[in-house]
Every structure is written in C-alpha cells, then in structure tokens.
Amino acid sequence: MRFCEPERSKGRNQQKIWNSRGQSSPKRTNTGQSHSESRLALMIRRYSILVVVLAFTTAVQADETFVILHSVSGNRIQVSPGSAGQGMGPRGRGAGGMEAQPTQGIGRGRGRSGGGAAGGGRGRGRFGGQTQPKTTTVNVPSTAKITTAMRERRTFEFRVMGEIAGGLRNPIFTRMKEPMQARIVTRNNTITEINVITGDTDINQTSTSSSGESIIAVKPKRPPMKRK
Amino acid sequence: MWLLRLNSRLDRSLLCFAVVLLLAPVVQAQVRDEGTRFFESNIRPVLIKHCYECHSAESGKARGGLKVDSAEALHRGGDTGPAVVPRNLQKSLLHEVLLYGEDSYQMPPKGKLPDRVIADFRKWIQMGAPDPRATEINPDVKTEIDIEKGREFWAYQPPEMPELPPKGDWSRTDIDRFVAEQRTQNGLKPVGDADAQALIRRLYFVLIGLPPSPEDMQRWMSRITLSGRSTSLDQTAVADLIDHLLEQPQYGERWGRHWMDVARFAESTGGDQNNTFLHAWRYRDWIIDAFNADMPYDQFVRTQLAGDLLPIADEREWADNIIGTGFLAVGVKLVGEEDQQKYFADLVDEQIDATTRAFLGMSVACARCHDHKFDPIPQADYYALAGVFRATETHYGLLKAQARQATTLIDLTGMGPEAGTPNLSRDEYAKLIQARDDARTTVEDAMKKIRSGENVFRGTLRRIRSDRDETEAALQAFLGNGQPRVFAMGAQDRDFALPTRLLVRGELDNPAQEVPRGLVKVLSPEGKHTLAKWTTDPAVRREKIAADLGDLSYKSTSGRLELAQWISSRNNPLTARVMVNRIWHWMFGHGIVRTVDDFGSAGDPPSHAKLLDYLAIQFMNEGWSVKKLIREIALSRTWQLASTHNDAAYSSDPGNIYLWRMNRRRLEAEAVRDAMLAVSGKLDLKRPRGTLLREAGEGNVGQNVFEPVIRGLDWDHRSVYLPRVRAVLPEILDLFDAPDAGLVAGSRDSTSSPLQSLYLMNNPWMQKQAVAMSERVSEAPGSERIRRAHQLVLSRDPTKTESEAAIAFMTRISDARMSTDDKLAAYCQALMCTAEFRSID
C-alpha cells in the first residue's frame, strides 16, 4: 500500500495515469537478499513515511485542516477527517510552507475506490468504500469567515473564493444534501475561516455548473408594486 | 495489500499512532469547545468585572504594562513577565497575584476574590488556558476627526435661500442679479450681449450638440432679431428656441453624454483583462431617454442606485429601473484578479467612489485605508457604505473562459425592452446549435486525450474552452424560436448582508471592528448615521412615504434604497448643489465650484456661493427638473453675453471667474465629430439598435476581440453611439480629449496638439466628410458656393476679407491640376479645420 497517491478521480483512467507516472512496484523481499536486510529496508521505508505523515499532520494541525462537512445546524458543524490536501490559497497560506502538490489521500490503498474523501475535483463526492465516517461536532465562532473554494483543474491548487452571504445560514448549508469538502483554518486554536468546495457555484457567477448547465443570465427579484 | 502484511506489534502500533494523530485536530476541536465554554462562563466575566478597568484597550489603561483583554496580551504579560503560562501554575503570575500572597502583588486591589473563583482560574490555567479572544481581530480603530467641527464647512451646511440682490439696470433675471453683484464688487463690467447669430449657434451646440442648418439659422434669426439689429433680441423668441431645442431627441443624446462622463460609462471592463460589455448600451440608452423625458433628478439618482428595489407599476417600469442600476455595473473591473475577496473589495470600492463623487462631490473612497486626509470622513464611514454595497450583487456578464471574475447578467426577456439584435432564422439558429455542439465535442475530445495520458497544450485548451463558452453564450442569447433574449447589466440584492469589518490600512487580512451599514456621518443628523438609527427618524419615514419608496426595509435588503433616499433627499446639503453646479459647468464651460467632482476642502470654494444656494433650492422647488434649470440659465443675460475679449477685465480676472463675458471654449470630441457629419450631410439622426460593438465580438480585447477591428468600426450615427471600449476609443474622440471612463469625469480637458491638426488635415474620414460637404455645396450656384460653405460650417456669411481669401485660395491651387470638385472639397476641409468651427462662441 502506498500512503502517497496523486489526487485524481478514482476511475480506471486515473489509475492508468498513476501507473504511467508512478514509481515502480515495491520490490519483493524474496529475491535473494537476506531476510534481516530486507526487513530493515522495509522498516526504514515505513518510518520515513511515518515521519512525513507526522510532519504533515503537525503542520496541518497548526493552521489548516481538510475535512468533510456533513451537516450544519446553527453554528455547529459536523465534520469528519478529509484528505490532507495540500495547496496554497491565493494569500499564500501553505500547509507547513510546503509547495502545492496534488493532494494525497492518506491511508488509502490502491484497491479501494476512493475510500474517505478525496480532495480533488469540484466537490463531486467520491465516497466509495467508506460508508460510516466518524464525525465530530464543532462550534464555529460567529467571527469566522465562511467562503467558497475550488481546486484548480490542472494543478489541483486549493483556491479560496468569495465570502458566502449569510455564512452558515446560506441555503448551500441549510439545504445541503451531500457532504462537502472543506478546509478549516484556525489560529490560536480558534476557527477563523472555513472554505467550502460547493457543488454549484454562486448563482451570481456564470459557469457550467456541476450539473453541466450553463447559466449566463438570471431572472431579477421582484420589487413591490406601487400603491394605487 | 501491503496493510495485510503488517504482522508485527510494532507495525500495528505505528499505524494506530498515525491514525490517532490524524484525528487529533478534530478531536481537539471538541476539547477546545469545552474549554471555550468554561472560559466564557467562568473566567471572562471575572476579568471584565475586576480587571478591565485598569488593564484593557477599552479603558485605555495598561497598569504595569499588562492588558488582559486578549489571549496574546495575557500570554505576553506585563513588566514582570507573562501573566498566564498554559498548564503551569508556578509561572502564571495571574494565579499568584490572585492568591494575595504577602510577597507578591495582590489583585484585584479592591479585595481578594472568592476561593471558588480562584479555583476556576487554577483549573483554567491547568486545562491550557483556552481563550477564544483570537488576536487576528485588531483593536477598534478610533478616529480623531471632529465631525461636529467638520459640519461647519460650507458644503456640509444646508443651502439657504439668499436674499435677492438689487436688480439694477443690467440684470434681466435673478441669476443676473447675483452675478452682477459679485462682478461689481470686484470692479468689473460686462462686455456686450452676444448677437443673434452667435447666440443661436451657441444654443444649438450647448443644448443639442449640433450646428444649426442655414435654414434653421435664417428662420430663428428673423424671429429673434428685433428692429433689424442683431444685438437686440426678442427674449420670447429666444425662449421658444430654447423650448424647441429641449424637445428634440438630440437634447437627450447631448446631455446624456455629459452624464455618461460622470457615470464613467464604457462598454468594457478596462484594467488587466479588458473584456467587452455587450449589454452596457441599454444603460446608455436609458440615460438618454431619462434626459429626454426630463426625469426628476432625485428619481434619476434613486433609480441608478436602487432601481431594482423601487416599487413598480408594471413590468416595463421594472425593466427600466433595473437597467438604470447599470450605473453600478459599468465601472472599471480587474477581472483577471484571482483572489475573489480582493476583487470584491475592489468592486465595492469602485462603486463607493463613483457614487459619492458623482452625486455628492465627495471622495469617500480616500477613506478606505485611513481617515480622509482633508475632509471629515473617518474610515468607519467608508466601511459603513461598503456594507451596503457588499450586500449587493453586481451583474455584468462576461465569458468565464476569458475573465476569472465573470458573473451572470439579468434576464429581462418578456418585460418590455426591445432586443438588441434581430431575430434569427431557423437556419441561423441551427448553425448556432451546431457551433456549440462542435465546440463541446472538441473540448471533450481534448479531455479524453488528457485522461489517457496525452499532452494537450495549455493554450489550446484555453482556446477551445473559450470557444465552448462563447458558442454557449451565443446560443443562450436566443430563445428556441430564434427570438433574442433581453439581457441587461445591473444590480440585485444578495439574500443576506455580509458583515463588514473595518480593515486596518485597507488590508483584507487586518480586520478590526465590525461596522454597521450606514451613511456618511458629517452629512447625517447627529447620532443617526447608521441605517438602523437613520430609518427610525420620523422625517425620514415621512419622506419615504412621500416619495413612494415602498415598504422594503434595510433589514431584509442591502440598504441601497435607504442610501438612495438619503442622497436624493432635500435635506442632503450636497446633492442639489453638485448637480446644479454640473449643469452650470456644462452651460458655461466652468462651474461655480470649479472642481465639479470635489466639493471638499481640497476642492475650490464657490465663486458665487449665494447663487449656488439659490439655484440648488430653485432646482429642488421646480421638481428637480434639469430642463427647467437649463432654460432659466439660458434666458439669463449672463449666459447671453458675448465672448469678446476686454483687456481691462482680463487683467483683473483672467479666468473669467466673475463672468464678465461668456467663455469661448472648444467643443467636446463628440460634438466635433457630429458637427462634421452634420455639415457633410451624412449624419444619421436615428438611434441605432443595440451596439456597434457586437460586430467586434465578445471577450478579451487582444485575445479574441481586436483593437484594429474596434477602431475600424464606424457609422454615421451620433458619436454617443460609437463603441466606447476603455483604452480603445475611436481616434477622433481620443484626440479631442474624450475621457477614458476610468473615473468619474465631471469636466474634460481641452488640449491643443499637433496630432489634432494632422488628423483634421490628413485623415481619410475627414476627407470623406469634406467631399460629401462639397457635394452639398455644389448644389448652389457657382457664385454662391463660398457663401453656402460658410453658412453650413460657421453658420454665417463670409466677410469681405474671407471671400477674397477664399477666391485667392481657389485660384492658387488651380495650378495643381486639381478638378473643381477637388478644389471645393479642399476648401470645405479647410473650413472644417478652423478653430471657429470647433468652438462655441
């Protein structure tokens, strides 16, 4: 199993890409080397990976945490761990100062079709495999800023977009049907910002929505009638 | 599969440890939650009650260098060290002083706290001293501006109707009395009155922006001139001429163009990625129609700021009101900006600047980063207004593939306004569908290639995505039957207001206190500058009912309706003054306040303060009618003065501040071009449908819309309908100082450069007009042609000297083997090159 996988869609094509770019399969230990030497090599590899995980987790814990947002109730949100997507927002907040890289799914094997939350894509849920994520309820202070976010198509760079009017009261949250990927930003152990990758963009933003429909104009909101 | 091979205890332990670490942040959030609750209920109230008095920003005191009103301050401590060290009671001085030990400080000084409270503090420190008072919110920014003192400035005091000065021998109207009084006080005497020819020409250019035809000139000369003396004029006939011109649709085009300078109207975003607006023309036409209909100015203001919120009688009015809000949408936008929050902040800033400069002559946007340096406008006022605009969605369109910050447009199909393009035939519609489908297929093929591992050049991907968006937008611009949909730019309210914080130095990452939505303090009643307080004022409520502004409350909307009401109110000291001053500027060439966009202390004071107040109050009393004010000014003797030079007066008042004569000035760029088309006989006075810019296409200038194509667009309609793409103005407009619409431009420069002369002499378009004019002139008998040419171009007969010079000119160039027609065209062009032709006398 590899901890590190490029964050892509989890279809067969993605596996092909990974295969075409990934490293060669780990060598088997029974190829003529002594048992103790191969065991040592395996231990070293595991420890080095663990060090990377520890460093990454520590960095994320200090500033940004990727989660899956399951539900919103008032100022309380229910979240489960998301993929530790690394990326730098436009204001340069990097995860531990690391360069932006394709998000890597932790603890996921090749055999699983995207267990846990993927950090890639535009909010299209890829939750195959893990049906009951462990959730935690978190209080969000009223001063926290709630924004939309997206991932760049090619680089998967995490990009913070605009503020969501109404914050957690916005219908995006009150009427959410599917979990959404999000990043929680904390400072001094307080949540200061939540960046949510929403399925549909703000209606004020023209785009091809996740349902494939292009919207270039909206009907206006009706004002009151004049008194007769 | 590798996981299954973990068969040692160590391996499993390591894996469990890794999982625990991953979940730690989320679990810790729960723990912090409980700690925060404990702090809020047990610690903060004690700190507020017993400690803030001497150790907080609020009290302005920090005894011993210590503040306790933020987590960082507690951790930093004071002169003797950190007050709180999480989980370390020995090192936490706060705990030590609470214990009231004999060898240490004893706090609070009024008496030892109960043991229970001290135990809470002990528990709190041991649990890690959780404190939600995050330090990223800056302390409240306070202003040092004295608003009360600021209200004493002349512009912020309500206008008062002054006593009329004595009439005297010279004055004909009330305006003349004020002007004459100031002139006399400065020892100046006026020059004579303009003769009929000069006055008629002046009226035509000022009111409709076109020269009078020889027939019109003759007709009005015979009516206006009394007793055969051209300087003795029948004011009744003059009034008839004024009324006649004010009724022409060309009046709206002329004066609407003035307002478009103020509204920074343009058909592109400008900035880093200059994208075209294909629907801005609706707002342009709305302005022209509003002036032609003499829409009351207060209504004009309200519609542009909050038209979408105004009560309506029918759907047509609804559509027109929404189009009016194009004022908020046509400004400069940096649509290439990646950071959406920065982009939004800049968009709001641009709207605040345009609104306050255009309607109030104030530069409130200068207070984005700090208190205004010259005027009594604290930074909080800026953010109070920002809260209103942040609750507004601005719809301006653009293609997503070419502008990061594209938005939707507003769909007005079926509400009354006409479409800007003709209907499509079935075949044409089918072609659009085919083009869209082909573009989609191309993108899908490219994505398949990428997924299969092939490389696709990024530029190619961008281009085909752009094609897909363009074809999709082109298709969506029509209904299924080929009928075009009707789109407009404008504003709508968001579903919720966004809380707005004052940003220290204007930096997004440096928020300070939250600022409620509100108005500019110095222009509002004391203590009633927030929307919450202002709307409770009974006078405000009465005004709202009288103006029939409906029942919408700022609580459920953005607050733009309240802002519009406040600006358009009679009680606002600036609105009427600023507009009156603009009208004066467009009539005379300079305003009573020369800095027409700045009535603040950095601007000029009024040259005739009483006159300004008189006109402002008259303006409001006459139903905010622009036409009535124009009429009153045009009928004054001051406005009908000649522009004759006088050495004595000039040496005393070279700037003509006291109006001892009329200012001779050059025509604006649009009027120069229109005049040339008029005299050549090629001017098409009909309003065109939509915008000529459609022929250049939609998108990014330089990417799929090209400058040479835009500059090459031309037609014979009035210049107000020419494409106005920022940084790509038509050459003649650019040369004659048309503004680029980057900012509010209440006044234009008037430069004189060789490029203008070279254009007039050599440009093919000029030559085309000259040839057309010569064909008109040729219709007259040979002996009359010089006279006819002068009448067309200069609205008068040639003098004897000019006739002789003209004949000599025609004779001299006969040696160059030019035909008679060529000679005449050259002469016509020479006349059009004269300064007299492109000046208002």
Side-chain angles (χ1 to χ4, degrees):
Chain A
M1 170 184 147
R2 286 188 173 277
F3 279 129
C4 307
E5 284 183 359
E7 187 192 16
R8 302 291 165 86
S9 90
K10 297 294 187 274
R12 277 180 294 179
N13 287 340
Q14 176 265 329
Q15 284 192 343
K16 272 173 88 175
I17 293 169
W18 183 85
N19 282 336
S20 68
R21 292 188 187 184
Q23 300 168 14
S24 57
S25 306
K27 287 184 182 172
R28 295 188 181 277
T29 54
N30 55 353
T31 53
Q33 291 173 314
S34 69
H35 179 75
S36 59
E37 284 174 354
S38 63
R39 179 106 183 124
L40 183 63
L42 201 59
M43 288 288 290
I44 289 170
R45 194 168 61 226
R46 287 174 193 169
Y47 273 118
S48 61
I49 290 168
L50 185 60
V51 165
V52 168
V53 168
L54 281 172
F56 164 74
T57 310
T58 306
V60 167
Q61 182 180 331
D63 208 15
E64 299 161 357
T65 310
F66 285 84
V67 298
I68 303 295
L69 184 63
H70 293 271
S71 69
V72 174
S73 172
N75 70 328
R76 297 162 73 87
I77 58 174
Q78 236 182 1
V79 297
S80 62
S83 61
Q86 299 174 24
M88 289 169 62
R91 278 170 276 163
R93 268 184 294 196
M98 296 166 76
E99 292 298 321
Q101 289 178 11
T103 306
Q104 301 170 347
I106 304 291
R108 199 171 309 122
R110 278 166 63 180
R112 299 184 190 177
S113 53
R122 301 287 184 87
R124 295 180 185 169
R126 294 181 180 86
F127 303 114
Q130 196 164 335
T131 54
Q132 297 273 337
K134 183 183 171 187
T135 62
T136 310
T137 302
V138 178
N139 269 349
V140 178
S142 59
T143 53
K145 196 192 281 188
I146 316 292
T147 75
T148 56
M150 60 172 272
R151 285 204 178 271
E152 283 287 343
R153 274 185 197 146
R154 282 180 68 90
T155 64
F156 295 95
E157 182 185 325
F158 188 87
R159 191 180 295 286
V160 175
M161 307 290 281
E163 279 184 75
I164 298 178
L168 293 177
R169 291 176 293 146
N170 192 286
I172 290 174
F173 302 111
T174 57
R175 292 185 213 150
M176 64 186 285
K177 294 192 174 69
E178 279 186 356
M180 291 189 283
Q181 296 168 54
R183 182 181 76 170
I184 297 180
V185 180
T186 57
R187 199 177 294 175
N188 290 336
N189 297 328
T190 303
I191 295 175
T192 56
E193 205 168 305
I194 301 179
N195 317 121
V196 183
I197 298 178
T198 61
D200 279 309
T201 53
D202 188 339
I203 197 65
N204 194 38
Q205 303 297 314
T206 184
S207 77
T208 302
S209 68
S210 59
S211 56
E213 188 190 352
S214 281
I215 304 163
I216 63 170
V218 295
K219 279 291 185 190
K221 295 171 189 165
R222 197 175 188 93
M225 298 299 288
K226 275 182 177 163
R227 288 194 197 96
K228 288 182 184 171
Chain B
M1 294 301 290
W2 187 79
L3 181 60
L4 298 178
R5 296 196 202 125
L6 292 179
N7 51 15
S8 79
R9 188 183 294 176
L10 179 60
D11 290 336
R12 282 196 290 273
S13 303
L14 284 171
L15 184 62
C16 291
F17 184 52
V19 168
V20 164
L21 281 172
L22 282 172
L23 288 177
V26 178
V27 170
Q28 281 203 4
Q30 181 70 13
V31 170
R32 281 197 297 275
D33 198 38
E34 289 163 16
T36 301
R37 269 200 294 273
F38 184 86
F39 173 87
E40 293 291 354
S41 51
N42 296 74
I43 306 300
R44 193 205 283 256
V46 176
L47 289 174
I48 291 173
K49 186 175 175 187
H50 297 285
C51 310
Y52 272 30
E53 192 182 337
C54 302
H55 299 284
S56 70
E58 186 183 333
S59 68
K61 295 178 196 163
R63 296 280 168 82
L66 171 70
K67 283 189 188 162
V68 301
D69 56 357
S70 72
E72 190 193 335
L74 272 176
H75 292 190
R76 189 171 57 240
D79 299 334
T80 48
V84 168
V85 177
R87 297 196 174 85
N88 193 325
L89 283 175
Q90 270 84 34
K91 290 187 179 172
S92 296
L93 290 175
L94 179 63
H95 180 251
E96 185 183 328
V97 302
L98 288 177
L99 290 175
Y100 255 63
E102 290 193 13
D103 296 328
S104 68
Y105 287 107
Q106 296 171 344
M107 290 290 157
K110 289 179 184 169
K112 188 179 175 188
L113 294 174
D115 290 341
R116 174 183 57 78
V117 172
I118 297 174
D120 283 342
F121 272 88
R122 189 179 306 123
K123 182 180 173 184
W124 174 63
I125 293 171
Q126 283 171 337
M127 70 164 65
D131 189 342
R133 297 173 303 171
T135 55
E136 74 276 7
I137 304 292
N138 286 287
D140 286 7
V141 171
K142 301 229 187 300
T143 180
E144 292 176 359
I145 292 178
D146 184 346
I147 298 290
E148 286 316 304
K149 188 136 175 60
R151 289 187 210 276
E152 293 171 13
F153 187 65
W154 72 268
Y156 308 140
Q157 298 190 7
E160 286 177 2
M161 183 55 108
E163 198 180 309
L164 279 178
K167 189 170 179 184
D169 296 327
W170 184 86
S171 302
R172 193 162 60 219
T173 65
D174 292 345
I175 290 175
D176 297 324
R177 292 193 192 188
F178 290 102
V179 173
E181 183 187 50
Q182 286 271 73
R183 206 165 45 213
T184 306
Q185 281 172 6
N186 287 277
L188 292 162
K189 286 189 181 156
V191 299
D193 298 331
D195 61 31
Q197 182 268 336
L199 183 61
I200 292 168
R201 193 167 189 275
R202 184 187 299 170
L203 279 168
Y204 265 76
F205 271 120
V206 169
L207 297 190
I208 66 171
L210 294 169
S213 66
E215 294 73 28
D216 284 342
M217 178 60 83
Q218 198 170 3
R219 184 171 76 245
W220 287 106
M221 283 273 285
S222 62
R223 282 195 60 188
I224 285 173
T225 313
L226 284 172
S227 313
R229 289 171 54 209
S230 68
T231 52
S232 193
L233 307 178
D234 180 354
Q235 291 300 314
T236 309
V238 172
D240 287 344
L241 173 56
I242 292 169
D243 292 337
H244 166 74
L245 292 172
L246 289 174
E247 290 306 312
Q248 303 305 304
Q250 289 77 42
Y251 156 77
E253 290 165 348
R254 169 68 163 156
W255 281 73
R257 183 57 245 176
H258 289 321
W259 184 258
M260 287 178 220
D261 284 1
V262 174
R264 78 269 183 259
F265 169 78
E267 292 180 86
S268 75
T269 60
D272 50 354
Q273 292 181 1
N274 194 9
N275 278 251
T276 53
F277 290 143
L278 287 198
H279 304 278
W281 64 271
R282 287 194 188 276
Y283 175 60
R284 175 199 69 202
D285 287 358
W286 179 87
I287 294 173
I288 292 170
D289 293 340
F291 273 89
N292 275 332
D294 201 20
M295 182 187 286
Y297 181 68
D298 57 343
Q299 184 184 340
F300 185 67
V301 169
R302 285 194 296 266
T303 307
Q304 289 178 94
L305 288 178
D308 56 308
L309 302 171
L310 292 173
I312 55 173
D314 51 41
E315 295 216 325
R316 182 62 208 240
E317 187 178 1
W318 182 15
D320 287 342
N321 287 349
I322 287 176
I323 291 170
T325 63
F327 171 82
L328 294 174
V330 293
V332 173
K333 293 167 181 49
L334 301 175
V335 292
E337 174 62 58
E338 290 183 352
D339 185 338
Q340 194 161 44
Q341 290 182 50
K342 181 178 185 310
Y343 174 75
F344 188 45
D346 290 341
L347 175 70
V348 164
D349 180 69
E350 198 279 325
Q351 289 172 333
I352 290 173
D353 188 47
T355 300
T356 52
R357 272 192 208 273
F359 301 120
L360 299 174
M362 294 179 92
S363 49
V364 175
C366 292
R368 182 177 182 180
C369 305
H370 47 68
D371 288 348
H372 200 288
K373 297 295 185 187
F374 305 111
D375 296 331
I377 305 172
Q379 204 182 356
D381 280 5
Y382 174 93
Y383 289 96
L385 288 178
V388 173
F389 291 105
R390 275 164 56 80
T392 302
E393 287 174 357
T394 309
H395 295 256
Y396 48 85
L398 307 183
L399 294 175
K400 188 72 173 176
Q402 298 192 16
R404 282 180 201 271
Q405 305 296 343
T407 70
T408 46
L409 290 159
I410 302 177
D411 189 350
L412 304 178
T413 309
M415 290 166 67
E418 280 185 4
T421 51
N423 288 11
L424 292 182
S425 66
R426 192 180 294 180
D427 288 341
E428 285 167 331
Y429 189 71
K431 276 187 190 159
L432 280 187
I433 296 176
Q434 188 62 47
R436 191 274 313 265
D437 291 345
D438 289 345
R440 271 187 180 172
T441 307
T442 309
V443 172
E444 280 163 13
D445 289 345
M447 296 311 295
K448 277 184 196 154
K449 280 185 187 170
I450 291 173
R451 281 187 222 116
S452 67
E454 268 186 66
N455 223 356
V456 175
F457 179 49
R458 186 185 288 193
T460 304
L461 197 58
R462 193 184 303 137
R463 181 180 54 76
I464 60 179
R465 278 197 181 126
S466 176
D467 286 345
R468 178 200 58 194
D469 286 358
E470 265 187 81
T471 50
E472 181 69 57
L475 183 63
Q476 285 214 15
F478 294 88
L479 297 172
N481 56 3
Q483 192 186 338
R485 292 168 76 186
V486 176
F487 295 149
M489 296 166 60
Q492 293 277 281
D493 269 2
R494 290 182 181 267
D495 291 331
F496 298 93
L498 282 172
T500 304
R501 288 190 176 271
L502 186 149
L503 302 178
V504 178
R505 290 188 299 281
E507 293 169 3
L508 286 170
D509 292 340
N510 244 336
Q513 75 268 32
E514 197 165 321
V515 179
R517 287 173 289 164
L519 313 163
V520 178
K521 276 198 199 75
V522 76
L523 297 179
S524 308
E526 191 179 342
K528 292 185 178 178
H529 55 274
T530 61
L531 290 189
K533 291 269 169 62
W534 187 74
T535 49
T536 58
D537 189 330
V540 168
R541 286 185 178 164
R542 281 195 297 273
E543 197 177 53
K544 187 173 181 180
I545 294 169
D548 196 15
L549 297 183
D551 298 324
L552 289 176
S553 158
Y554 76 94
K555 291 176 188 166
S556 57
T557 63
S558 56
R560 276 182 296 123
L561 194 56
E562 284 74 16
L563 177 65
Q565 183 191 337
W566 172 73
I567 290 179
S568 62
S569 165
R570 287 187 66 109
N571 298 322
N572 190 310
L574 278 170
T575 310
R577 278 180 173 138
V578 168
M579 186 55 180
V580 151
N581 190 59
R582 291 194 190 285
I583 294 170
W584 190 273
H585 170 84
W586 292 324
M587 297 284 290
F588 279 89
H590 62 71
I592 298 171
V593 175
R594 297 263 171 149
T595 50
V596 293
D597 299 322
D598 188 359
F599 271 47
S601 54
D604 287 347
S607 57
H608 300 74
K610 288 187 199 167
L611 173 61
L612 183 63
D613 278 8
Y614 164 81
L615 289 173
I617 293 172
Q618 273 290 90
F619 184 51
M620 291 188 281
N621 288 346
E622 295 284 351
W624 302 82
S625 166
V626 173
K627 281 189 180 178
K628 283 185 182 165
L629 181 59
I630 291 174
R631 190 177 192 277
E632 184 175 352
I633 294 173
L635 284 172
S636 69
R637 194 169 183 187
T638 307
W639 196 80
Q640 293 184 17
L641 282 171
S643 59
T644 320
H645 178 77
N646 179 287
D647 284 334
Y650 185 83
S651 63
S652 178
D653 179 18
N656 196 28
I657 294 172
Y658 299 108
L659 297 165
W660 49 271
R661 65 165 176 168
M662 172 51 87
N663 296 306
R664 179 180 292 167
R665 58 196 190 275
R666 199 200 66 210
L667 286 169
E668 296 87 357
E670 290 84 355
V672 169
R673 179 178 175 277
D674 291 348
M676 290 174 180
L677 282 170
V679 302
S680 70
K682 295 180 79 63
L683 180 63
D684 183 351
L685 287 175
K686 212 169 57 186
R687 176 187 284 185
R689 186 179 188 176
T691 175
L692 192 58
L693 194 57
R694 194 169 298 281
E695 296 184 22
E698 186 175 10
N700 196 338
V701 176
Q703 195 165 324
N704 69 330
V705 178
F706 300 102
E707 273 192 36
V709 173
I710 296 174
R711 289 194 197 280
L713 296 172
D714 196 14
W715 56 14
D716 293 335
H717 294 278
R718 289 201 72 175
S719 306
V720 68
Y721 299 115
L722 283 178
R724 296 300 282 252
V725 176
R726 290 182 165 105
V728 194
L729 289 181
E731 190 178 3
I732 188 171
L733 301 188
D734 205 9
L735 278 174
F736 287 94
D737 308 308
D740 198 36
L743 292 171
V744 169
S747 64
R748 291 189 181 190
D749 293 330
S750 184
T751 61
S752 181
S753 81
L755 292 175
Q756 293 168 353
S757 307
L758 290 169
Y759 178 91
L760 292 172
M761 288 193 290
N762 300 318
N763 189 273
W765 184 86
M766 274 298 298
Q767 288 162 356
K768 196 167 83 168
Q769 306 317 309
V771 166
M773 182 187 156
S774 69
E775 286 167 6
R776 279 184 89 184
V777 168
S778 306
E779 291 167 7
S783 58
E784 289 292 307
R785 287 178 187 175
I786 300 294
R787 184 163 170 265
R788 177 76 175 159
H790 275 256
Q791 284 175 343
L792 271 174
V793 175
L794 303 177
S795 304
R796 61 173 176 81
D797 291 338
T799 61
K800 186 166 178 286
T801 313
E802 285 172 343
S803 292
E804 289 168 1
I807 292 167
F809 174 76
M810 299 284 276
T811 309
R812 192 162 52 246
I813 63 174
S814 66
D815 297 338
R817 296 187 201 173
M818 289 171 73
S819 68
T820 309
D821 290 342
D822 289 343
K823 286 182 234 173
L824 192 55
Y827 183 71
C828 291
Q829 188 172 355
L831 281 180
M832 285 201 278
C833 287
T834 59
E836 184 181 343
F837 173 63
R838 46 179 202 278
S839 301
I840 304 177
D841 201 358

